[in-house]
Amino acid sequence: MSEKYLISGIMAKMEIYCGNHPEPEKMQIKQGPFSVFYACPKYYKENRIEGEHICANRIGINDVERIVDHINSKICDNGLLTSSVNLQNHSWKQNGVEYKILIHHSDKMCVQCLNRNALTKIKR
């Protein structure tokens, strides 16, 4: 079993995207009644065109911590503690949320999220 390290800077270069649209939408961090979460911008009426349905795709901060842990583990498990690893197109499911790394560069990582549980609770 390989020893695990926390790769510094993962969060600083990570962007979260909504995977519920043909083109990924960058999710926005919001303060909810109980905690902070990432929400699709299409959740808010001012970001939708007339007649466009609400998008309730969202993930909580605990989900973001799980993303970081998963990515960190993938890098450590491969023994690649250098910037040479590229996880682009890597996908996984965790706690009912589907993830895919859209872009992975040394200075930027874009992770697409699709929380199907949140989408089933939409009121149209």
Side-chain angles (χ1 to χ4, degrees):
M1 184 169 139
S2 65
E3 192 171 342
K4 302 264 192 236
Y5 300 91
L6 179 59
I7 309 301
S8 101
I10 290 177
M11 275 298 299
K13 66 180 183 178
M14 188 167 40
E15 296 177 354
I16 309 293
Y17 285 81
C18 178
N20 193 36
H21 309 282
E23 292 295 320
E25 296 272 346
K26 187 173 178 183
M27 295 176 89
Q28 303 169 343
I29 195 161
K30 298 292 181 182
Q31 176 64 52
F34 305 108
S35 65
V36 174
F37 64 99
Y38 282 84
C40 178
K42 301 285 185 175
Y43 181 78
Y44 302 97
K45 189 174 184 168
E46 64 268 15
N47 296 326
R48 297 190 309 261
I49 58 174
E50 189 172 329
E52 187 176 16
H53 291 293
I54 188 172
C55 179
N57 193 24
R58 66 186 179 278
I59 61 168
I61 289 301
N62 291 340
D63 296 309
V64 176
E65 290 173 354
R66 285 190 275 274
I67 292 170
V68 170
D69 185 54
H70 179 84
I71 292 168
N72 190 73
S73 291
K74 290 299 285 183
I75 293 170
C76 289
D77 287 348
N78 289 312
L80 301 170
L81 295 175
T82 67
S83 59
S84 63
V85 67
N86 189 320
L87 296 175
Q88 188 164 324
N89 294 319
H90 171 67
S91 59
W92 72 101
K93 292 181 184 179
Q94 194 170 25
N95 293 348
V97 182
E98 300 169 16
Y99 301 98
K100 182 177 181 182
I101 299 177
L102 302 173
I103 295 172
H104 184 192
H105 298 301
S106 60
D107 62 339
K108 184 177 184 177
M109 182 178 294
C110 300
V111 180
Q112 177 178 281
C113 305
L114 185 60
N115 184 346
R116 294 194 185 276
N117 292 331
L119 294 173
T120 61
K121 298 175 185 174
I122 298 175
K123 295 178 183 174
R124 296 197 188 262

